[in-house]
Amino acid sequence: MTVAVATTSTQRNQGLQGVEALPDGLDGMLFAFDEPISTTFHMRNVAFPLDVWFFDDAGVLLGSIRMTTCPPGACPSYATPGAVTWALETPAGRFDIDPGSELSVGE
């Protein structure tokens, strides 16, 4: 799997906002946090539904949620299932990652 990586707060805040579709060769976006954090995600200005997969500091999958595009006038927030170090956004339904799976990040 090849993903864009968001390592700064500016990159994480931007995420996939304003992206109509993932560029060829990219399967999603990985959000990397400096330390475990409980936070929320939203779909404001994101054009396609996403699955977001949450991993702890050891890279173990803690859970996932499907985020749908925002209806007019409202955009819900989706909370992490606890403190996470990594969050992986992929187009909804494209991948099936089993609970307990481990994330491996390479160059």
Side-chain angles (χ1 to χ4, degrees):
M1 181 182 297
T2 302
V3 297
V5 181
T7 58
T8 68
S9 60
T10 300
Q11 292 169 334
R12 289 188 298 265
N13 288 333
Q14 177 63 38
L16 292 172
Q17 292 183 79
V19 175
E20 292 297 320
L22 289 174
D24 286 342
L26 279 185
D27 298 308
M29 177 172 270
L30 181 67
F31 295 75
F33 298 96
D34 296 328
E35 57 188 49
I37 185 173
S38 292
T39 190
T40 60
F41 286 75
H42 65 83
M43 292 289 289
R44 188 168 290 113
N45 299 320
V46 178
F48 50 96
L50 297 169
D51 290 329
V52 59
W53 312 87
F54 301 109
F55 298 86
D56 66 13
D57 60 340
V60 176
L61 180 64
L62 298 175
S64 66
I65 52 176
R66 177 149 301 161
M67 301 187 299
T68 58
T69 56
C70 294
C75 196
S77 292
Y78 300 88
T80 59
V84 301
T85 304
W86 310 90
L88 175 63
E89 289 183 346
T90 60
R94 182 175 293 175
F95 297 99
D96 186 20
I97 304 173
D98 294 325
S101 293
E102 291 186 18
L103 178 69
S104 176
V105 180
E107 296 291 320

